[in-house]
Amino acid sequence: MRPLPDLSISHYRHFLLVAELGSFRAAAVRAFRSQPALSLSIREMEQRLGQPLFEPGNRGTLTRFGQDCLPLARELVDHHDRVAGALSGLANNGAGSLTMASVASAATHWLPELVAAYRAQYPAVSLRLFDDNSEGVERMVLAGEVELGVCSTVSRDRRLSFEPLMRDAFGLVCHRGHPLAGRKSVTWREIADLPLVGTIAHRQLAGHPQAAFMLDRQVFVSNMMSLLAMLERGVGVTCWPAWACRRIRRDWRLCPCRGRASNANWALPVWPAEACLRPPRAWRKCCARGAAGMTRCR
């Protein structure tokens, strides 16, 4: 096996600066280094990698190899900074930071109580929360923008570690005046011809022929606020996990769907490398306890 190149984090930072700014001079100013010193850093990096990162005749332009290296270098620097910040927090009496993403339904109905409990136990940890749909949550975790997330499982990306929180059930969400609103349950066949609005969560229904029609709707929305607006304006009805409907408006009803395709799964997508850090680890335990309480209360 070829030995790994001996490169410092400064080499990667200098490479990213030149790639971002397109100029060795501007990168040197940003890095508070002389231009010869920064040029030497890039030259060392190219020699140790065995390939040029920038075009010889135009040193601000990336070679094909440099283009391939760019996202990996950015990922490495971002990961270094997150770990360095976490280690610094551990050395500072357990302080640190936790950045996470969540689907809007969890951020609205569930996370406030968890955040309050977490803050009471870890007051020195700073929290940053972003909300998006499940696809966006997974994308942020993969990009290293957040340590972990709360979402429904829609991709099963092998690069992520999915920790199950709870199993839920899909149900038809409709106005109380709808003919099916008073039913105790419905089948997928009964709702197939309704004006259903599609969402990211319906990707969990892939592989279930009886609910396959949910994956190709004429109207599709990517977030909860848009979905609620569509329902309120009478654009259609939808199927949603029951847990996400805990606080829907009083004039709306949830009618559970029957059948094998009715299960919805909520999980914590986590980068395996982040799982051992204290703030994410403590938050995962907090989520697990909260999910257990939710399950008992359903």
Side-chain angles (χ1 to χ4, degrees):
M1 178 182 292
R2 181 181 176 181
L4 294 176
D6 183 16
L7 296 171
S8 70
I9 197 67
S10 294
H11 285 106
Y12 291 100
R13 291 192 193 279
H14 295 160
F15 166 62
L16 292 176
L17 282 174
V18 177
E20 174 189 348
L21 300 174
S23 164
F24 275 67
R25 178 179 298 176
V29 171
R30 181 79 66 85
F32 300 101
R33 301 289 299 275
S34 68
Q35 186 172 337
L38 186 131
S39 297
L40 176 61
S41 177
I42 296 297
R43 211 160 43 242
E44 288 176 345
M45 189 173 183
E46 291 177 325
Q47 290 171 351
R48 294 171 188 179
L49 290 173
Q51 293 280 349
L53 296 166
F54 297 93
E55 295 289 351
N58 185 355
R59 293 293 285 164
T61 302
L62 288 167
T63 62
R64 179 60 183 271
F65 176 69
Q67 293 173 17
D68 291 340
C69 290
L70 186 60
L72 298 174
R74 187 175 291 121
E75 179 183 327
L76 186 147
V77 171
D78 289 345
H79 179 69
H80 168 274
D81 291 347
R82 290 196 306 273
V83 172
L87 293 177
S88 176
L90 291 176
N92 187 25
N93 297 322
S97 64
L98 174 63
T99 305
M100 54 190 167
S102 170
V103 290
S105 53
T108 303
H109 305 323
W110 190 47
L111 290 190
E113 291 85 355
L114 288 185
V115 168
Y118 185 88
R119 291 284 297 154
Q121 189 170 0
Y122 303 98
V125 176
S126 61
L127 295 175
R128 298 177 65 208
L129 173 63
F130 300 91
D131 63 85
D132 204 331
N133 58 39
S134 293
E135 185 180 54
V137 169
E138 291 183 3
R139 185 168 55 246
M140 281 190 274
V141 176
L142 281 171
E145 298 172 11
V146 298
E147 283 99 348
L148 47 78
V150 177
C151 65
S152 54
T153 52
V154 296
S155 76
R156 290 293 180 184
D157 193 302
R158 293 183 179 181
R159 292 172 294 174
L160 293 174
S161 171
F162 286 91
E163 299 187 8
L165 284 175
M166 70 177 86
R167 291 177 66 84
D168 203 354
F170 280 102
L172 175 68
V173 181
C174 59
H175 191 271
R176 65 181 180 182
H178 193 278
L180 296 176
R183 296 275 296 275
K184 291 184 178 180
S185 64
V186 293
T187 65
W188 292 103
R189 179 176 297 180
E190 288 177 305
I191 67 173
D193 295 327
L194 297 179
L196 290 155
V197 179
T199 73
I200 292 289
H202 296 150
R203 292 184 185 175
Q204 294 188 79
L205 299 171
H208 297 282
Q210 66 269 42
F213 59 87
M214 291 300 306
L215 302 177
D216 185 23
R217 307 311 304 166
Q218 288 187 320
V219 178
F220 172 88
V221 296
S222 63
N223 62 72
M224 184 179 72
M225 291 186 65
S226 296
L227 176 62
L228 293 177
M230 295 291 180
L231 299 181
E232 290 173 2
R233 291 299 183 94
V235 173
V237 294
T238 194
C239 287
W240 233 15
W243 178 68
C245 301
R246 290 177 63 210
R247 299 178 186 175
I248 58 175
R249 289 176 46 168
R250 292 183 180 180
D251 50 353
W252 291 90
R253 297 291 182 267
L254 174 70
C255 185
C257 295
R258 299 198 305 270
R260 293 182 61 188
S262 299
N263 289 327
N265 298 303
W266 296 88
L268 286 169
V270 187
W271 258 118
E274 308 286 355
C276 62
L277 300 180
R278 180 181 294 177
R281 188 174 67 238
W283 176 255
R284 285 157 51 213
K285 291 180 180 178
C286 189
C287 283
R289 288 194 297 268
M294 285 286 297
T295 302
R296 288 194 296 270
C297 292
R298 282 167 49 191

